[in-house]
Amino acid sequence: MKQPAHLFVDISAHGFGHLAQAAPVLNALSKRLPELRLTIRSGLPTDKLQARVTADFTHLQERSDFGYVMHDAVNLDLEATALAYRRQHADWDGLVDRDARLFRELQPNLVFSDVAYLPLAGAARAGIPSVSMCSLNWAELFAHFFASEDWAAAIHRQMLDAYAGAECFLRATPGMAMADLPRLRPIGPLAALGNDCRQLLRERLGSGKDERLVLIAFGGFDKQLPIAAWPAIPGVRCLIPQAWQLTHPSVSDFEPLGLSIADVLRSVDAVLTKPGYGTFAEAACNGTPLLYLRREDWPEQDFLIDWLQTHGRCREISAGELLAGRLLPSLEALWRQAAPPIPTPSGAEDAAAVLLPWLGMSTRQA
């Protein structure tokens, strides 16, 4: 009997945005290949993966990248990041060998990474094809921040060589330029579509019909906001992560509501976040207006903001306004914007069509 295809997936745990990109692709694949064997390596908790990935999978709870060390959701710790990269690449060859041994043991048909480069190098050494996908890549960001450092050139070359060893790089829309990467293949937006649960959400909150709901979500990173000191926001209730453990008359936790994050995002009147792929793409594709706080020197954000200004309703809020809890003027201006046509999240089907031939199924069969 023919064995089912085996896909090894590496998902960065640098926030939740990489999972938000990868999960729709895995779900599209599992619909076409119900017997597909999935192994997911990620530092994210298993329950976070299960909330997004509908198919069964084996979880290897390890990190093969760290992305950037963060002070909080919008501020980078570049000194700690530089040290972490230098430590990782001090034994680069040993790390590649370790991944190569793992892949020789597991024998996947394909290695799929969003967006670590180590598994791509390991797969190349093991003679196993690989594909990478993301709206960014760590090599381009590394060059942006560290290209002038005398120790950076060798590390950057190892990163680029690893990405170049993949069969292709699927660049999600919106995405960075990635001029240094060969075999780029653009794909459409990657986003989960939620169900419109506005009535149920308001019932569970005990919310009046005229109260506006605003989801505050910073993509898996803490953002220390002095919410407890905010004034009451007339006519607005904010939904926040339960882990923040905050009490305020205009605030409720969203996890006890028993709805998926995609359903919550689809059902609120606005979302407040940082520029990050997952929330930006999902807000646009679910028709949800978005307020954003700019990130300090994050190269990807301009690509995201430019795209969302065309395909969604968005508005910047200043750090001062956010810290003082002066959300209402920005929200009211946001809600006055005309809604553009909602984009279709075609990226999952685009990516699945690329991956299927390595998993024993032609795109014609799909």
Side-chain angles (χ1 to χ4, degrees):
M1 181 180 294
K2 184 179 179 181
Q3 292 296 313
H6 181 194
L7 179 64
F8 185 97
V9 186
D10 193 293
I11 301 175
S12 173
H14 187 257
F16 296 144
H18 301 278
L19 173 60
Q21 292 180 351
V25 179
L26 302 184
N27 295 338
L29 287 171
S30 65
K31 286 181 181 178
R32 287 156 181 73
L33 298 170
E35 301 300 317
L36 179 66
R37 178 184 166 197
L38 281 178
T39 299
I40 300 178
R41 177 168 65 183
S42 179
L44 293 172
T46 303
D47 64 335
K48 294 294 184 185
L49 299 174
Q50 290 172 333
R52 291 272 188 172
V53 179
T54 57
D56 292 334
F57 58 87
T58 300
H59 183 200
L60 304 181
Q61 195 159 16
E62 303 173 4
R63 291 173 179 258
S64 58
D65 68 354
F66 59 88
Y68 278 77
V69 182
M70 309 290 294
H71 290 298
D72 62 23
V74 296
N75 294 297
L76 306 174
D77 187 337
L78 289 179
E79 183 177 349
T81 300
L83 180 60
Y85 271 118
R86 295 177 77 175
R87 284 177 173 167
Q88 174 162 302
H89 282 261
D91 185 30
W92 175 246
D93 205 52
L95 292 175
V96 176
D97 268 342
R98 187 193 68 174
D99 260 19
R101 288 194 299 271
L102 174 66
F103 297 145
R104 290 190 189 105
E105 177 186 342
L106 295 179
Q107 285 296 304
N109 298 76
L110 181 70
V111 171
F112 180 48
S113 176
D114 188 331
V115 63
Y117 52 91
L118 174 60
L120 307 177
R125 188 165 293 183
I128 293 171
S130 67
V131 171
S132 192
M133 180 188 78
C134 198
S135 56
L136 56 78
N137 68 83
W138 297 134
E140 189 166 2
L141 293 178
F142 181 88
H144 174 83
F145 290 110
F146 303 117
S148 63
E149 302 291 338
D150 57 9
W151 50 265
I155 293 176
H156 187 234
R157 174 45 52 194
Q158 289 170 336
M159 298 167 90
L160 286 176
D161 287 347
Y163 282 123
E167 302 292 331
C168 63
F169 192 108
L170 304 177
R171 182 180 62 191
T173 299
M176 297 180 70
M178 306 193 198
D180 290 338
L181 298 189
R183 295 191 291 279
L184 280 180
R185 296 186 64 165
I187 60 174
L190 294 160
L193 296 180
N195 299 301
D196 191 335
C197 304
R198 293 167 195 271
Q199 183 174 347
L200 177 62
L201 184 59
R202 291 178 183 279
E203 288 174 358
R204 292 184 177 178
L205 285 166
S207 177
K209 64 178 182 179
D210 295 328
E211 189 173 45
R212 302 267 202 158
L213 304 179
V214 177
L215 174 65
I216 301 180
F218 279 87
F221 293 100
D222 286 336
K223 177 61 181 171
Q224 297 301 319
L225 299 174
I227 292 176
W230 283 3
I233 308 173
V236 172
R237 184 189 298 248
C238 295
L239 306 182
I240 65 170
Q242 192 171 23
W244 290 7
Q245 297 184 334
L246 293 169
T247 302
H248 187 278
S250 298
V251 167
S252 298
D253 298 337
F254 62 75
E255 289 92 346
L257 300 172
L259 299 173
S260 72
I261 189 65
D263 288 350
V264 172
L265 188 145
R266 177 68 176 266
S267 304
V268 295
D269 298 288
V271 59
L272 169 61
T273 188
K274 62 176 174 60
Y277 188 95
T279 309
F280 267 50
E282 291 186 350
C285 294
N286 284 281
T288 304
L290 183 146
L291 278 186
Y292 63 88
L293 175 69
R294 275 189 173 268
R295 304 172 69 171
E296 183 70 24
D297 195 20
W298 185 249
E300 184 195 20
Q301 73 177 346
D302 289 334
F303 295 91
L304 300 176
I305 293 168
D306 289 349
W307 180 81
L308 191 57
Q309 287 174 341
T310 300
H311 297 283
R313 287 179 284 170
C314 66
R315 181 181 173 87
E316 181 179 354
I317 188 168
S318 72
E321 290 171 318
L322 184 57
L323 290 174
R326 294 195 302 270
L327 275 59
L328 197 54
S330 292
L331 286 169
E332 289 175 339
L334 178 67
W335 289 324
R336 286 195 295 269
Q337 292 181 12
I342 295 175
T344 300
S346 60
E349 297 297 334
D350 296 341
V354 174
L355 301 183
L356 282 170
W358 281 290
L359 302 175
M361 185 175 184
S362 72
T363 53
R364 182 176 298 176
Q365 290 173 294

